[in-house]
Amino acid sequence: MISIKDLHKSYSIGNSSLHVLKGINFEVEKGELVAIMGSSGSGKSTLLNILGMLDVADEGDYILDQVPIKNLNETKAAKYRNQFLGFVFQSFNLINYKTALENVSLPLYYQGIKRKERQEIAMDYLDKVGLKEWSTHLPSELSGGQKQRVAIARALASKPKVLLADEPTGALDSTTSYEVMDLIQKINEEGNTILVVTHEEDIAQMCKRIVRLKDGVIIEDKKINQVLATSHV
Ligand code: ADP
Ligand code: MG
Protein backbone atom coordinates (compact mmCIF):
# COMPACT_ATOMS: atom_id res chain seq x y z
CA MET A 1 0.00 0.00 0.00
CA ILE A 2 2.83 2.35 0.97
CA SER A 3 6.45 2.08 -0.08
CA ILE A 4 9.05 4.70 0.75
CA LYS A 5 12.70 4.52 -0.19
CA ASP A 6 15.55 6.64 1.06
CA LEU A 7 13.39 9.60 1.96
CA HIS A 8 15.12 12.83 2.99
CA LYS A 9 13.71 16.10 4.23
CA SER A 10 15.43 19.25 5.45
CA TYR A 11 14.02 22.56 6.60
CA SER A 12 15.90 25.75 6.08
CA ILE A 13 15.87 28.12 9.01
CA GLY A 14 17.46 31.42 8.11
CA ASN A 15 20.67 30.46 6.38
CA SER A 16 21.11 27.12 8.13
CA SER A 17 19.43 23.84 7.34
CA LEU A 18 17.87 21.23 9.61
CA HIS A 19 18.08 17.69 8.25
CA VAL A 20 14.95 16.09 9.77
CA LEU A 21 14.54 12.84 7.80
CA LYS A 22 17.81 11.17 6.85
CA GLY A 23 17.00 8.24 4.62
CA ILE A 24 13.74 6.62 5.72
CA ASN A 25 12.75 3.25 4.26
CA PHE A 26 9.62 1.25 4.96
CA GLU A 27 6.70 -0.58 3.47
CA VAL A 28 3.17 -0.81 4.77
CA GLU A 29 0.82 -3.54 3.58
CA LYS A 30 -2.92 -3.18 3.27
CA GLY A 31 -4.63 -3.76 6.61
CA GLU A 32 -1.70 -2.87 8.86
CA LEU A 33 -2.01 -0.77 12.01
CA VAL A 34 1.35 0.95 12.48
CA ALA A 35 2.51 3.23 15.28
CA ILE A 36 5.17 5.77 14.40
CA MET A 37 7.00 6.58 17.62
CA GLY A 38 9.75 8.94 18.62
CA SER A 39 10.38 11.81 20.97
CA SER A 40 9.16 15.31 20.24
CA GLY A 41 11.02 16.80 17.29
CA SER A 42 12.11 13.43 15.91
CA GLY A 43 10.33 14.04 12.60
CA LYS A 44 7.12 12.04 13.07
CA SER A 45 4.79 14.76 11.80
CA THR A 46 7.18 15.59 8.98
CA LEU A 47 7.05 11.98 7.84
CA LEU A 48 3.27 11.74 8.21
CA ASN A 49 2.79 15.00 6.30
CA ILE A 50 4.89 13.67 3.43
CA LEU A 51 2.92 10.40 3.44
CA GLY A 52 -0.26 12.51 3.51
CA MET A 53 0.91 14.61 0.56
CA LEU A 54 0.67 17.74 2.67
CA ASP A 55 4.41 18.21 2.20
CA VAL A 56 7.01 16.90 -0.22
CA ALA A 57 10.30 15.14 0.43
CA ASP A 58 13.59 16.54 -0.89
CA GLU A 59 14.80 13.15 -2.02
CA GLY A 60 13.55 9.58 -2.23
CA ASP A 61 10.63 7.64 -3.61
CA TYR A 62 7.11 7.38 -2.33
CA ILE A 63 4.64 4.96 -3.90
CA LEU A 64 1.06 4.95 -2.65
CA ASP A 65 -1.20 2.15 -3.89
CA GLN A 66 1.06 1.71 -6.92
CA VAL A 67 1.00 5.41 -7.77
CA PRO A 68 4.40 7.17 -7.65
CA ILE A 69 3.92 10.37 -5.68
CA LYS A 70 6.39 12.68 -7.32
CA ASN A 71 6.33 15.97 -9.18
CA LEU A 72 2.57 16.26 -8.86
CA ASN A 73 1.03 19.66 -9.37
CA GLU A 74 -1.21 20.97 -6.60
CA THR A 75 -4.43 19.98 -8.38
CA LYS A 76 -3.32 16.41 -8.91
CA ALA A 77 -1.92 16.18 -5.38
CA ALA A 78 -5.24 17.43 -3.99
CA LYS A 79 -7.11 14.87 -6.08
CA TYR A 80 -4.99 11.96 -4.81
CA ARG A 81 -5.12 13.29 -1.28
CA ASN A 82 -8.94 13.30 -1.33
CA GLN A 83 -9.13 9.94 -3.02
CA PHE A 84 -6.47 8.06 -1.09
CA LEU A 85 -6.05 9.58 2.34
CA GLY A 86 -7.96 10.32 5.49
CA PHE A 87 -6.54 12.53 8.24
CA VAL A 88 -7.06 12.73 11.97
CA PHE A 89 -5.24 15.36 14.01
CA GLN A 90 -4.57 15.94 17.69
CA SER A 91 -6.65 19.12 17.65
CA PHE A 92 -9.59 17.51 15.77
CA ASN A 93 -9.76 20.32 13.18
CA LEU A 94 -13.54 20.39 13.11
CA ILE A 95 -15.38 23.44 11.81
CA ASN A 96 -16.84 25.10 14.90
CA TYR A 97 -19.99 26.55 13.37
CA LYS A 98 -21.01 23.32 11.65
CA THR A 99 -22.83 20.39 13.24
CA ALA A 100 -21.28 16.95 13.61
CA LEU A 101 -23.25 15.79 10.56
CA GLU A 102 -22.15 18.79 8.47
CA ASN A 103 -18.52 18.28 9.48
CA VAL A 104 -18.63 14.66 8.34
CA SER A 105 -20.46 15.42 5.11
CA LEU A 106 -18.35 18.40 4.00
CA PRO A 107 -15.55 16.41 2.29
CA LEU A 108 -18.25 14.56 0.33
CA TYR A 109 -19.49 17.89 -0.99
CA TYR A 110 -16.07 18.46 -2.53
CA GLN A 111 -16.37 15.07 -4.19
CA GLY A 112 -19.55 16.22 -5.90
CA ILE A 113 -21.88 13.90 -4.01
CA LYS A 114 -25.46 15.16 -3.85
CA ARG A 115 -26.83 16.58 -0.62
CA LYS A 116 -29.21 13.77 0.31
CA GLU A 117 -26.64 11.07 -0.31
CA ARG A 118 -24.00 13.08 1.58
CA GLN A 119 -26.24 13.24 4.60
CA GLU A 120 -27.00 9.53 4.45
CA ILE A 121 -23.34 8.60 4.21
CA ALA A 122 -22.40 11.03 6.98
CA MET A 123 -25.12 9.65 9.24
CA ASP A 124 -23.93 6.09 8.60
CA TYR A 125 -20.41 7.02 9.68
CA LEU A 126 -21.61 8.95 12.74
CA ASP A 127 -23.56 5.83 13.65
CA LYS A 128 -20.43 3.74 13.15
CA VAL A 129 -18.52 5.86 15.67
CA GLY A 130 -21.45 5.79 18.10
CA LEU A 131 -22.60 9.38 17.63
CA LYS A 132 -25.83 9.12 15.68
CA GLU A 133 -27.71 10.90 18.47
CA TRP A 134 -25.22 13.76 18.36
CA SER A 135 -25.54 14.58 14.67
CA THR A 136 -27.13 18.01 15.18
CA HIS A 137 -24.67 19.13 17.84
CA LEU A 138 -21.89 21.64 17.34
CA PRO A 139 -18.30 20.71 18.26
CA SER A 140 -18.53 23.00 21.31
CA GLU A 141 -21.30 20.75 22.64
CA LEU A 142 -19.17 17.60 22.36
CA SER A 143 -16.49 16.17 24.64
CA GLY A 144 -12.92 15.78 23.36
CA GLY A 145 -13.42 12.08 22.72
CA GLN A 146 -16.66 12.74 20.84
CA LYS A 147 -14.95 15.40 18.72
CA GLN A 148 -12.21 12.97 17.79
CA ARG A 149 -14.82 10.36 16.87
CA VAL A 150 -16.51 12.92 14.59
CA ALA A 151 -13.10 13.61 13.02
CA ILE A 152 -12.60 9.87 12.49
CA ALA A 153 -16.06 9.56 10.92
CA ARG A 154 -15.20 12.47 8.62
CA ALA A 155 -11.91 10.85 7.61
CA LEU A 156 -13.57 7.50 6.91
CA ALA A 157 -16.57 8.83 4.99
CA SER A 158 -14.45 9.34 1.87
CA LYS A 159 -13.33 5.68 2.06
CA PRO A 160 -9.60 6.45 2.07
CA LYS A 161 -7.04 3.76 1.28
CA VAL A 162 -4.96 4.88 4.24
CA LEU A 163 -5.94 6.65 7.46
CA LEU A 164 -3.21 8.89 8.88
CA ALA A 165 -3.56 9.99 12.49
CA ASP A 166 -1.12 12.47 14.04
CA GLU A 167 -1.25 12.15 17.85
CA PRO A 168 -4.99 11.37 17.74
CA THR A 169 -5.06 10.89 21.53
CA GLY A 170 -2.65 13.71 22.33
CA ALA A 171 -5.36 16.03 23.64
CA LEU A 172 -7.37 13.36 25.49
CA ASP A 173 -7.26 11.86 28.99
CA SER A 174 -6.26 8.20 29.18
CA THR A 175 -9.76 6.68 29.42
CA THR A 176 -10.90 8.69 26.41
CA SER A 177 -7.66 7.85 24.58
CA TYR A 178 -8.36 4.16 25.00
CA GLU A 179 -11.91 4.63 23.70
CA VAL A 180 -10.53 6.33 20.60
CA MET A 181 -7.94 3.55 20.19
CA ASP A 182 -10.71 0.97 20.58
CA LEU A 183 -12.46 2.63 17.63
CA ILE A 184 -9.22 2.74 15.62
CA GLN A 185 -8.65 -0.97 16.32
CA LYS A 186 -12.20 -1.81 15.18
CA ILE A 187 -11.77 0.19 11.98
CA ASN A 188 -8.48 -1.61 11.37
CA GLU A 189 -10.15 -4.99 11.94
CA GLU A 190 -12.48 -4.13 9.04
CA GLY A 191 -9.41 -4.08 6.79
CA ASN A 192 -8.43 -0.41 6.86
CA THR A 193 -4.77 0.55 6.75
CA ILE A 194 -3.91 2.96 9.55
CA LEU A 195 -0.77 4.84 10.64
CA VAL A 196 -0.82 6.41 14.09
CA VAL A 197 1.83 8.89 15.19
CA THR A 198 2.23 8.90 18.95
CA HIS A 199 4.83 9.46 21.61
CA GLU A 200 2.86 7.44 24.16
CA GLU A 201 4.09 3.89 24.68
CA ASP A 202 0.69 2.51 25.80
CA ILE A 203 -0.98 3.87 22.66
CA ALA A 204 1.75 2.38 20.44
CA GLN A 205 1.24 -1.01 22.10
CA MET A 206 -2.37 -0.97 20.81
CA CYS A 207 -1.09 -1.04 17.24
CA LYS A 208 0.25 -4.12 15.45
CA ARG A 209 3.65 -2.76 14.52
CA ILE A 210 5.91 -0.06 15.93
CA VAL A 211 8.32 2.02 13.85
CA ARG A 212 10.67 4.08 16.01
CA LEU A 213 12.32 7.24 14.73
CA LYS A 214 15.37 8.85 16.26
CA ASP A 215 17.58 11.59 14.88
CA GLY A 216 15.99 11.27 11.46
CA VAL A 217 16.37 7.52 11.00
CA ILE A 218 14.33 4.43 11.85
CA ILE A 219 16.03 2.74 14.79
CA GLU A 220 13.49 -0.05 15.22
CA ASP A 221 10.67 -1.55 13.17
CA LYS A 222 8.88 -4.55 14.65
CA LYS A 223 5.56 -6.35 14.70
CA ILE A 224 4.06 -6.64 18.18
CA ASN A 225 1.29 -8.47 19.98
CA GLN A 226 -1.47 -5.89 19.99
CA VAL A 227 -2.91 -4.84 23.36
CA LEU A 228 -6.68 -4.49 23.05
CA ALA A 229 -7.86 -1.04 24.08
CA THR A 230 -10.97 -2.57 25.66
CA SER A 231 -8.75 -4.27 28.22
CA HIS A 232 -8.03 -0.77 29.59
CA VAL A 233 -11.49 0.77 29.43
P1 ADP B 1 7.60 15.50 15.75
O1 ADP B 1 6.28 15.43 15.09
O2 ADP B 1 8.28 14.19 15.89
O3 ADP B 1 7.54 16.20 17.08
P2 ADP B 1 8.28 17.30 13.58
O4 ADP B 1 8.28 16.46 12.36
O5 ADP B 1 7.13 18.19 13.82
O6 ADP B 1 8.58 16.38 14.85
O7 ADP B 1 9.58 18.23 13.56
C1 ADP B 1 10.89 17.73 13.37
C2 ADP B 1 11.86 18.88 13.43
O8 ADP B 1 11.67 19.73 12.31
C3 ADP B 1 11.72 19.77 14.67
O9 ADP B 1 12.99 20.17 15.08
C4 ADP B 1 10.89 20.92 14.15
O10 ADP B 1 11.19 22.09 14.89
C5 ADP B 1 11.37 21.06 12.72
N1 ADP B 1 10.33 21.57 11.81
C6 ADP B 1 9.12 21.02 11.59
N2 ADP B 1 8.42 21.72 10.67
C7 ADP B 1 9.21 22.76 10.31
C8 ADP B 1 9.07 23.84 9.40
N3 ADP B 1 7.96 24.01 8.66
N4 ADP B 1 10.11 24.72 9.30
C9 ADP B 1 11.23 24.56 10.03
N5 ADP B 1 11.43 23.55 10.90
C10 ADP B 1 10.44 22.66 11.04
MG1 MG C 1 4.39 16.04 15.66
Side-chain angles (χ1 to χ4, degrees), residues 17-228:
S17 166
L18 182 67
H19 198 173
V20 178
L21 301 179
K22 303 173 182 167
I24 303 285
N25 294 283
F26 73 82
E27 315 254 326
V28 178
E29 305 289 334
K30 185 178 181 329
E32 284 201 78
L33 174 53
V34 185
I36 298 174
M37 293 244 358
S39 53
S40 178
S42 59
K44 304 182 297 295
S45 294
T46 301
L47 176 59
L48 206 74
N49 289 344
I50 293 170
L51 295 175
M53 300 169 66
L54 298 167
D55 200 353
V56 286
D58 300 325
E59 271 177 56
D61 295 319
Y62 172 22
I63 298 169
L64 174 59
D65 197 31
Q66 299 168 35
V67 178
I69 305 301
K70 204 162 203 176
N71 303 324
L72 299 177
N73 62 35
E74 192 41 49
T75 316
K76 200 125 204 212
K79 188 181 146 226
Y80 285 147
R81 208 185 295 128
N82 291 333
Q83 227 177 306
F84 290 172
L85 301 160
F87 295 93
V88 175
F89 300 98
Q90 176 173 353
S91 52
F92 323 124
N93 293 13
L94 298 177
I95 298 174
N96 290 324
Y97 57 87
K98 288 192 182 289
T99 65
L101 188 78
E102 288 165 345
N103 267 283
V104 177
S105 64
L106 190 63
L108 304 170
Y109 169 82
Y110 293 110
Q111 292 185 7
I113 297 171
K114 296 261 183 305
R115 184 183 162 87
K116 188 159 179 295
E117 196 188 344
R118 276 199 317 264
Q119 291 188 334
E120 283 168 9
I121 297 171
M123 195 56 106
D124 279 351
Y125 279 93
L126 276 181
D127 193 15
K128 202 179 169 68
V129 302
L131 291 176
K132 202 173 179 175
E133 274 75 56
W134 293 82
S135 65
T136 61
H137 288 255
L138 293 171
S140 59
E141 297 163 340
L142 303 175
S143 69
Q146 288 175 323
K147 283 185 219 178
Q148 197 58 299
R149 277 147 63 197
V150 172
I152 291 171
R154 176 181 59 184
L156 291 175
S158 309
K159 295 193 172 295
K161 294 183 187 293
V162 180
L163 185 66
L164 301 171
D166 195 349
E167 309 263 9
T169 63
L172 306 174
D173 62 58
S174 20
T175 306
T176 312
S177 293
Y178 299 146
E179 284 166 11
V180 165
M181 285 310 292
D182 178 41
L183 178 60
I184 286 177
Q185 288 180 335
K186 288 192 169 121
I187 294 162
N188 171 249
E189 285 306 313
E190 292 171 5
N192 290 292
T193 312
I194 309 177
L195 273 65
V196 178
V197 160
T198 181
H199 63 266
E200 293 164 296
E201 194 62 44
D202 55 344
I203 297 299
Q205 294 297 331
M206 293 174 182
C207 298
K208 293 174 174 166
R209 172 180 166 194
I210 303 182
V211 173
R212 284 180 209 274
L213 285 181
K214 193 182 178 191
D215 299 328
V217 295
I218 292 176
I219 53 163
E220 188 180 47
D221 182 349
K222 62 167 188 198
K223 296 223 159 113
I224 59 163
N225 289 319
Q226 181 184 43
V227 174
L228 286 181

